[in-house]
Amino acid sequence: LVYDDMIRVEDFDTYRTSHLVKAVRRGRPLRAGDIDVLRGRDFADILPAGQRALTLEIDTVNSTATMVRPGNRVDLYWVGKNPDPQPVAVQSGPSSTSAQSGDGKAIRLLMPNVLILATGQDIRPRDAGEAMERAGNAPPADNYSTVTVQVPIADAPRIVLAQKVGSLRLILKNADDATPDVPQKDT
C-alpha cells in the first residue's frame, strides 16, 4: 500500500538536496508534502493549469452557517436585477438556468459543481477527527466571511462582474451527487 505522492527509491536522488518541512518518524516513508521543493510550497501551486483561485465575500447564510469546507462542491448562482425586460419563466428540462420574480429580480446559474479551495484562510478539508470533536453539537469555532473557489480562467471575469452587479449564492451539494446541476421546476 503506497500513496501516490510517496518518494520512491528510484527518485531519491532528485530530492537528496531538499529539506524536510515537517518531522517524519524514522522508518516511515517520505511523501512529497514532507519535503521542501519548488512545488507545493505555495497556495497557488495547488491550482491546475488553466484554473484560477477566486475569493468571494459571503455571509452566514451563503456559507451554509459556516459548514462549507475546503474540498466541498457548490453550485454558484447570481441574484440581481434582470437586465432583460421580458419576464423569464423557469422551464422544465436541462436548459433551465434562470428565473425571475415579479419584482424584476432574477437568479441565474453561473457555474455548477465549483470546488471550494479555502474558507477564510483555512485550506484544510474537514477530517474525521474534526467531525468527532464537533459531534457533541458544539458550535463551530471558525467563522469566515470569504471563500476561495477554483474556476476556469475564462469564467473568472464573468463571476467578478456578477458579484459587482448583484449577489452570489453558494448552494452546497454532495460531491457524489450525479443529478443534473440545473434545478427542475414544473411550469
Side-chain angles (χ1 to χ4, degrees):
L1 299 173
V2 178
Y3 293 106
D4 290 340
D5 66 339
M6 286 199 176
I7 311 281
R8 298 179 185 270
V9 173
E10 59 269 14
D11 298 328
F12 187 73
D13 285 336
T14 306
Y15 298 98
R16 186 174 296 280
T17 60
S18 299
H19 300 283
L20 291 175
V21 293
K22 60 183 176 182
V24 177
R25 294 177 85 187
R26 183 175 299 247
R28 296 283 175 128
L30 282 177
R31 297 177 73 175
D34 299 331
I35 297 176
D36 182 15
V37 291
L38 293 178
R39 295 180 48 158
R41 293 178 47 182
D42 194 20
F43 180 67
D45 294 332
I46 68 170
L47 290 171
Q51 299 288 308
R52 296 296 184 259
L54 179 63
T55 300
L56 306 171
E57 291 184 40
I58 59 165
D59 57 19
T60 303
V61 172
N62 223 0
S63 65
T64 314
T66 65
M67 290 187 283
V68 171
R69 293 283 181 255
N72 287 156
R73 296 279 178 166
V74 295
D75 291 335
L76 182 61
Y77 284 87
W78 171 80
V79 180
K81 186 171 171 28
N82 190 6
D84 183 8
Q86 299 294 326
V88 177
V90 175
Q91 302 169 358
S92 296
S95 63
S96 304
T97 59
S98 65
Q100 180 177 329
S101 66
D103 63 357
K105 287 224 173 194
I107 184 165
R108 293 206 171 108
L109 177 65
L110 284 179
M111 183 175 287
N113 205 30
V114 176
L115 176 65
I116 301 290
L117 295 174
T119 54
Q121 293 185 352
D122 188 3
I123 61 172
R124 299 167 299 135
R126 178 181 289 183
D127 62 12
E130 181 184 359
M132 293 297 285
E133 289 173 12
R134 293 191 180 175
N137 292 333
D142 51 345
N143 290 325
Y144 48 87
S145 59
T146 62
V147 295
T148 302
V149 296
Q150 178 178 303
V151 297
I153 294 170
D155 291 319
R158 185 171 60 101
I159 294 168
V160 170
L161 180 61
Q163 190 170 23
K164 283 287 192 192
V165 298
S167 61
L168 298 179
R169 174 70 80 179
L170 306 177
I171 309 295
L172 183 63
K173 66 184 288 182
N174 185 312
D176 297 329
D177 188 349
T179 59
D181 292 315
V182 179
Q184 307 284 317
K185 182 176 179 181
D186 295 331
T187 55

